[in-house]
Amino acid sequence: MDLQTLLQQFVNALSLGSLYALLAIGYTMVYGVLRLINFAHGDVFMIGGYLAFYGVSLFAMPWWLAACLAVALTTLFGVGLERAAYRPLRDSPRISIMISAIGASFLIENLGIVLFDARPKAFAVPGPFAANHVIGGLHVAAVSLIIPVVTTVLLAILLWIVYRTKTGMAMRAVSTDIEAARLMAIDVDRIVSITFAIGSALAAIGGILWALKYPRLEPLMGIMPGLKCFIAAVVGGIGSIAGAVLGGLLLGVIELMTVAVLPGLTGYKDAFAFILLIAVLLVRPAGLLGKNQGEKV
Amino acid sequence: MGALLQTLDVTKRFGGLSAVTALNMSVESGEIVGLIGPNGAGKTTSFNLITGVYKPTGGQILFDGRDITGLKPHAITRLGVARTFQNIRLFKDMSVLENVLVAQHMRMGANLFEATLRLPSYLRKEKRIHERARALLAEVGLAEHERARATSLPYGKQRRLEIARALATEPKLLFLDEPAAGMNPQESVDLMEFILKIRDQFRLTIVLIEHHMQVVMGVCKRMYVLDYGVTIAHGSPDEIRNDPKVIEAYLGVE
């Protein structure tokens, strides 16, 4: 294989990895504050894609307006999901809230099938994203360049919120010790809502970018990326934002590079994600950037 | 009128176990009151009930003339009740300064919008709370550690930081859960002076759980003794010291 193909695949891997990172951040943040794996996160991602689709196709909005509205509505959807399915179970055993998350996931998927129809829909990619550029002999889709840039900007904003604002400080306090945070007058419910809002907004943006890259929408399209991004978050060290980004990028690169280097194994590319999970967890049970901390006694 | 805190027959049952039974405590403004009793007597549970961590099974809690029974912890803290923990619970991934800042969060009243646009009003508030946090750290003798990670401090200083963090919420009533735990006699004496000092300086009312009899007897004018969740005695240090029920609870019956 020549260098050019390798570079070509690397550009693709970078954009796929960035998408994974966007989604993985949502898992890691929710886990950080609530110690909950939000199994419905991949479905929130799907909702984002569909809402943008309907904005353009049904309401004939310009793509940017449809995208903004889709992100806003998906954010509300994510916050509503927490209110309805997770908050009432906050003080129940952790297994109950996990089951509720799995239930919410199935519910959203099946509602999607009923409301959006199970047949795939073609996502009309707007002009600026559909273009192909030739850079130094590489054929690069515009969207593959845009995705990493968008992800970088969003990540910068997120890190600023988490480490430079009072709200972010409260989020970190809640994630270290929810009980003590309450007694420092932090309104934990509000912080949890904000966390879900941020995670869902990122998932929605991820869903729209995904639809631009792979312009085919299905109600079940969130399952596989959701599962992989959960893996990315765990591999990176769940609870750590940097870990989620690292895990996402790593997963994207490994997935596409296997295809590039060993084309015969293309059919198994998803399996590599899971092999990666097992391998990393065997060596570092807390993930690459996770702190190895036992349960508090 | 008069009492800053009053609990009326406050009871907490966990299943069949009554952890606190009919707690009737009354604390006047400016007092330092002790809460003592053998391990498992329900002292920390009482703190948890008053600060809203647990909802009482029965009874009523009045603070500053308001019924706070069943309010959420953050709402109770906002009214002016703060606490420290028996096993130190600092935000361990944050710096010393951040630990205090986070507790001032609610006094700030800024939203994400204001913060994002960095409005002048926000920057003024931000400056003010930083100054206040630094002043508090200076007060508890931690000024030079503000950038250190909270958990890198030695044990005694972590306890002081926890108190500074509680003070940052601007309480009227402060609960200290075993502040002298793990301290040697000299540190305990320093702590007693420190407690009296912050009481006067911040015009606090303090309720204190403590096993160190020297500390409790030294700073408290009045105390309550719990055993198996029941208040078995209540009075001045001298009365408590000579109360046969208390001696029995601590030493067993002959």
Side-chain angles (χ1 to χ4, degrees), chain A residues 172 177 179 185 189 291, chain B residues 72 78 89 93 98 129:
Chain A
R172 284 183 288 142
D177 189 334
E179 217 50 77
D189 287 343
K291 271 163 276 165
Chain B
K72 291 196 171 166
R78 273 170 210 207
R89 287 170 80 168
D93 293 330
E98 280 181 318
I129 74 164

Side-chain angles (χ1 to χ4, degrees), chain B residues 161-176:
Chain B
L161 176 55
E162 236 199 355
I163 294 176
R165 184 177 69 170
L167 291 175
T169 65
E170 299 178 21
K172 295 179 189 136
L173 176 60
L174 176 63
F175 287 97
L176 299 175

